[in-house]
Amino acid sequence: MTLNEFLQDLKAFLQEWHNDEPTVWVHTSGSTGTPKPLQVEKERMKASARLTCQFLGLKEGDTALLCMPLQYIAGKMVVVRSLVAGLRLIPVAPCGHPLKDLKEAPTFAAMIPMQVYNSLQVPEEKHILKNIQHLIIGGGAIDTSLANELKYFPNQVWSTYGMTETLSHIALRRLNGKEASDWYTPFDSVRIRLSEEDTLIIYAPNVCAEELATNDIAEINEEGKFRILGRKDNTINSGGVKVQMEQVEALLREHLSIPIQITAAPDTKFGEIVVLLYPKVEDVKAIKAVCEKELPLYWQPKRYIPVETLPLTGTGKSDRATARQIAKK
């Protein structure tokens, strides 16, 4: 997408935002299935924007980088935060290196892990990244190596938790400094609990009228903070043993420098088996050796499939539905 095309998308969204309708259309990311359109209320989007701006202390005149596609909630909410708080928007066409043409760091930026990872590989972009005063990262898991790179950044770096239905995030966790944590802190107006299946249930009245049942398996500590273990629909039941895709991936990423994805395939004997997707240019013997050394026996993949590119959604998340189809074939 060119900058001019992106500016046309921005113009179209602003026209939709300023019309007389009380709602706007957004699309879900499609990380576990087909993306679907949703109508969301403008007033609730404003309420969500205020929560974030107040939490981060953003003020009129601060700059905000817009580098997310505008069909998804993350991109739309950057614009709404700018409108609500009087921020100066810096639009950059969505791409893997959104900082490459910037001469100075914006006050605020929302990015996906892939964009942050890419920016860290280029010294000039890394310099800009380190000088962003408030960086929030969402839309996908932040692995150990990326978290370690960000740990000593001088300004605030946050991982966000949320989804389209919560109008972006309802909780954050600090990735750097003395406040760094594995646990997400919900906004003051948000209440959370666990279902009988240990999935997170959210009540955020400012942004969603009813309780929202998620597919995220979670833990809640005595301070009311939570951490995510994985998605219920990303659980592999292999011979009666439940294996969480995200946990296997997180452990492997501590020992592999290449991108991989864990998925499942039907199996006559076990019901389902663990399958690993990897870039076909890589040495599968080396990957197998790491899996056999570092993973518990029941977590070890029974099938390794080379792919041209790992399946990702439009927002950079693992495309779990497509990965399962690849493994099934």
Side-chain angles (χ1 to χ4, degrees):
M1 175 181 284
T2 66
L3 178 58
N4 187 55
E5 290 170 334
F6 189 50
L7 292 175
Q8 290 301 312
D9 285 351
L10 176 57
K11 181 180 178 181
F13 173 60
L14 288 171
Q15 288 174 341
E16 184 183 15
W17 181 259
H18 291 298
N19 68 23
D20 294 332
E21 296 296 323
T23 60
V24 297
W25 286 98
V26 299
H27 287 80
T28 60
S29 64
S31 56
T32 58
T34 305
K36 58 183 180 181
L38 293 175
Q39 271 188 307
V40 296
E41 297 175 43
K42 294 175 183 176
E43 287 303 318
R44 292 190 183 278
M45 292 175 74
K46 290 179 185 177
S48 173
R50 291 188 193 100
L51 284 174
T52 299
C53 292
Q54 289 167 5
F55 185 92
L56 297 177
L58 298 176
K59 61 187 185 301
E60 186 174 357
D62 286 344
T63 51
L65 178 68
L66 173 63
C67 60
M68 302 282 203
L70 283 164
Q71 66 264 44
Y72 302 115
I73 192 66
K76 283 181 166 63
M77 286 307 303
V78 173
V79 180
V80 177
R81 290 180 200 120
S82 298
L83 294 170
V84 164
L87 310 180
R88 290 194 295 115
L89 208 58
I90 303 173
V92 172
C95 64
H97 288 269
L99 307 180
K100 62 183 174 65
D101 293 323
L102 296 189
K103 302 303 180 189
E104 59 181 73
T107 312
F108 167 76
M111 299 169 70
I112 61 173
M114 186 241 331
Q115 291 173 322
V116 175
Y117 174 84
N118 288 347
S119 299
L120 287 167
Q121 311 312 308
V122 182
E124 295 82 3
E125 295 175 28
K126 183 176 180 178
H127 176 75
I128 295 289
L129 191 71
K130 290 182 74 169
N131 284 284
I132 296 172
Q133 293 180 33
H134 307 280
L135 173 63
I136 64 174
I137 307 171
I142 297 170
D143 65 30
T144 305
S145 60
L146 182 56
N148 286 337
E149 283 261 19
L150 299 169
K151 188 182 296 184
Y152 301 107
F153 269 36
N155 296 311
Q156 296 182 18
V157 185
W158 303 87
S159 170
T160 67
Y161 177 83
M163 59 209 70
T164 304
E165 292 83 354
T166 60
L167 309 183
S168 193
H169 50 266
I170 49 87
L172 297 104
R173 67 180 178 93
R174 187 73 178 265
L175 292 174
N176 67 327
K178 294 179 180 179
E179 299 171 28
S181 174
D182 292 330
W183 297 84
Y184 286 96
T185 301
F187 291 140
D188 289 341
S189 58
V190 174
R191 299 292 175 265
I192 56 171
R193 62 184 180 89
L194 297 180
S195 72
E196 293 181 357
E197 297 176 297
D198 289 330
T199 55
L200 190 68
I201 296 177
I202 300 165
Y203 180 52
N206 288 342
V207 297
C208 191
E210 299 176 353
E211 273 194 334
L212 181 65
T214 77
N215 281 326
D216 292 320
I217 299 170
E219 289 182 74
I220 299 176
N221 66 16
E222 62 280 358
E223 297 175 356
K225 300 178 181 181
F226 67 94
R227 63 181 176 185
I228 301 298
L229 304 180
R231 287 182 66 90
K232 184 175 71 173
D233 38 12
N234 294 340
T235 301
I236 304 168
N237 192 332
S238 187
V241 177
K242 292 184 178 180
V243 181
Q244 197 65 41
M245 294 179 190
E246 296 93 338
Q247 290 182 303
V248 181
E249 290 172 344
L251 187 51
L252 286 178
R253 284 173 184 143
E254 293 181 16
H255 305 281
L256 290 171
S257 59
I258 61 168
I260 52 93
Q261 277 182 15
I262 295 295
T263 186
D267 183 78
T268 303
K269 180 179 178 180
F270 294 100
E272 288 183 307
I273 56 170
V274 179
V275 176
L276 185 145
L277 307 185
Y278 68 95
K280 66 188 307 180
V281 295
E282 301 294 340
D283 179 10
V284 70
K285 291 181 180 179
I287 299 171
K288 283 183 179 179
V290 170
C291 291
E292 290 169 2
K293 180 182 178 183
E294 303 297 341
L295 294 177
L297 182 62
Y298 290 105
W299 287 20
Q300 292 177 17
K302 288 187 165 52
R303 189 179 301 159
Y304 295 79
I305 301 177
V307 293
E308 291 288 349
T309 56
L310 296 175
L312 300 175
T313 69
T315 56
K317 297 180 185 178
S318 292
D319 186 339
R320 299 291 183 184
T322 299
R324 280 183 179 272
Q325 288 299 314
I326 292 170
K328 187 176 181 181
K329 290 177 182 178

